[in-house]
Amino acid sequence: MQSSIATKQNTFADDVLRGLSATPKFLSSKYFYDDEGSRLFQEIMKLPEYYLTRAEFEIFSTRTKEIFAAFTEKSKSFDLIELGAGDGTKTAVLIDYFLKQTADFSYLPIDISQEAIDFLTGKFKNEFPHLSMNAKTGDYFRILETLKTESKRAKIILFLGSNIGNFSKAQAQDFFRQLRGVMNENDLLFVGFDLQKDPRVILQAYDDAQGVTAAFNLNLLTRINRELGANFNTNDFSHYAVYRPVECAARSFLISRRAQTVSVEALNKSFEFAAWEPIFMEISQKYNQEMIGDLALASGFLATQNFFDERKFFVDSLWKVSL
Ligand code: AVJ
C-alpha cells in the first residue's frame, strides 16, 4: 500500500529534477512551506479574497455543539488527531468547547514541520492548561500505523482547510484509501472541502490584488536557489492562475517571461525555458456534494454528515468507515 504522494521518500532535489525535466514542467506545491512560505501562507489566510479559512472558521464557530454531538455519538472517549495541524486556530474553537463539556479526549497534532508543531503546542499549553496533548512530527501514515495499536481509544482524524485540494481526484482517493487502512471500525474522519461556487470568486482567491499568492509561488524558486544552488531570477517569472469549472480545479503556474537558461548546481544541470513557457505549480481541487459522496465511497467510507457555512462556500464532511 505505498502511495506515490504520501510515503515515497523522494528528496527535494529528486523532485526538482523530475519536474524541471518534464514536459510540461512542474514543481510540487508540497515544497511551498519553508519558513518564508509558511509565513506567506499565513498572509494568504488573512487576504480579503481568500475566503476558505474564514468559511471553515465560521463552520467551527457556529456548529460547535453539533460537531461535538456527532464526534461523541459512538464513543465518549477519543483521540482527536489533526493531520497538518498548522497553527490550529480553527481546532482551538472545538477544543475549547470540548474541554468545557469535560470531554474525555486527547489532542494529537501531526505536522511535517517541527517549527509549526513547536509553535502550536506552546500556544495550546498556554491556552488550554488542562488539555492532554501529544504532538508528533513526521509522515502521517507511519505515525497513524503506530497509533493503531498504541491507543485503544476511538480516533477522530481531522484533515481540514481544504488541504485535500492539493491532490488530484485520483491522488485524493489513494490518500483516503491509505487512511482507511490505518483506521478501526469506530474511527471517524472529518475533512474540509472547498466547494464549487462562482468561478470568479474562486479565481480571485488564487490571484489576489496584493500579489501575496504570486510571492508564495515565486518563493519556491527562491528556495531552489538557496537549497539547491540555482540561479532563478524571480523577476523573469510571473504568477498565472486559472480556474476550470468543468474539472472544478484552480491551477497556478509560473510563466517564464523570456527565453532563459537556469542552472541548478546541486543537480549539475541547466534547464532551458522558452519565452512564455509555464511551470505548473499547484492544483486546488474544488468539490460538490456529489463528488464528496463518491470520493468517500470509492475510498471505503460513508459521508454521514455535512457541515456548511452560511454561503455554502465550504464544507466539513464527517465520514465513517464503511464495512
Ligand atoms: C493549503 C492547499 C488549502 O490550495 O487553497 C493558498 C494553498 N495556495 N493559496 C489552497 C494555497 C494558494 C491552499 N491549501
Side-chain angles (χ1 to χ4, degrees):
M1 281 239 310
Q2 288 278 309
S3 153
S4 56
I5 47 168
T7 42
K8 200 160 70 186
Q9 299 297 309
N10 277 344
T11 65
F12 184 35
D14 291 338
D15 285 342
V16 169
L17 174 62
R18 199 164 57 92
L20 294 183
S21 307
T23 317
K25 292 182 172 64
F26 66 91
L27 291 168
S28 170
S29 59
K30 76 175 183 195
Y31 293 114
F32 283 176
Y33 303 90
D34 62 354
D35 289 349
E36 177 64 3
S38 302
R39 194 193 65 73
L40 285 165
F41 183 58
Q42 301 286 327
E43 290 299 310
I44 287 173
M45 290 193 288
K46 293 183 221 147
L47 290 171
E49 294 96 336
Y50 198 75
Y51 57 83
L52 289 81
T53 313
R54 280 183 298 275
E56 192 173 43
F57 189 77
E58 179 193 321
I59 297 168
F60 277 43
S61 308
T62 57
R63 310 291 301 280
T64 331
K65 214 174 153 174
E66 288 136 288
I67 293 170
F68 180 65
F71 282 7
T72 51
E73 197 193 305
K74 280 256 174 60
S75 8
K76 294 296 164 213
S77 99
F78 57 93
D79 287 331
L80 189 65
I81 301 172
E82 180 163 11
L83 306 182
D87 75 350
T89 308
K90 287 159 287 186
T91 320
V93 178
L94 294 185
I95 289 175
D96 183 52
Y97 183 83
F98 292 4
L99 289 171
K100 283 176 179 147
Q101 307 305 303
T102 64
D104 178 19
F105 76 106
S106 294
Y107 177 56
L108 291 79
I110 305 177
D111 206 289
I112 39 166
S113 160
Q114 184 64 46
E115 197 172 330
I117 282 292
D118 291 344
F119 176 79
L120 176 71
T121 49
K123 191 168 89 166
F124 278 18
K125 266 186 191 136
N126 188 40
E127 208 171 323
F128 310 115
H130 299 295
L131 174 66
S132 146
M133 189 163 48
N134 185 5
K136 315 241 177 204
T137 28
D139 178 75
Y140 295 167
F141 297 105
R142 210 159 302 144
I143 295 169
L144 287 166
E145 194 62 56
T146 62
L147 290 175
K148 193 175 183 176
T149 45
E150 207 176 88
S151 168
K152 291 269 167 299
R153 303 218 278 190
K155 288 194 284 291
I156 300 176
I157 301 177
L158 310 178
F159 194 53
L160 306 175
S162 185
N163 280 326
I164 194 65
N166 278 166
F167 297 138
S168 69
K169 283 189 279 176
Q171 289 171 326
Q173 184 175 316
D174 189 38
F175 175 79
F176 285 130
R177 281 216 176 124
Q178 276 201 76
L179 265 187
R180 172 67 187 85
V182 294
M183 288 171 71
N184 297 314
E185 209 175 299
N186 284 326
D187 297 345
L188 297 171
L189 185 55
F190 198 52
V191 191
F193 291 95
D194 191 22
L195 294 171
Q196 206 175 0
K197 61 184 65 58
D198 185 336
R200 294 171 192 85
V201 171
I202 296 174
L203 182 58
Q204 279 181 34
Y206 296 94
D207 197 16
D208 66 280
Q210 294 169 57
V212 183
T213 310
F216 181 61
N217 274 264
L218 289 165
N219 177 59
L220 181 47
L221 302 186
T222 307
R223 180 176 185 181
I224 296 172
N225 284 348
R226 187 183 58 245
E227 294 185 21
L228 303 177
N231 64 349
F232 278 106
N233 182 345
T234 53
N235 295 320
D236 287 333
F237 289 85
S238 55
H239 167 68
Y240 180 69
V242 290
Y243 177 70
R244 292 199 197 134
V246 174
E247 299 142 34
C248 301
R251 284 186 176 75
S252 70
F253 302 87
L254 288 176
I255 310 285
S256 173
R257 303 192 55 80
R258 57 178 184 87
Q260 53 186 317
T261 307
V262 174
S263 66
V264 186
E265 231 170 68
L267 301 175
N268 236 320
K269 224 177 133 71
S270 291
F271 301 91
E272 301 292 332
F273 290 80
W276 309 114
E277 182 178 349
I279 313 173
F280 169 49
M281 302 296 286
E282 183 177 41
I283 181 170
S284 295
Q285 179 70 51
K286 309 305 169 192
Y287 285 83
N288 59 38
Q289 268 197 84
E290 193 188 350
M291 288 162 75
I292 294 170
D294 290 348
L295 178 57
L297 284 180
S299 40
F301 293 93
L302 280 175
T304 56
Q305 217 176 331
N306 285 324
F307 299 88
F308 300 94
D309 60 310
E310 177 80 50
R311 296 187 293 185
K312 290 211 162 179
F313 271 19
F314 201 92
V315 66
D316 284 297
S317 188
L318 186 65
W319 293 9
K320 67 174 191 192
V321 166
S322 82
L323 301 170

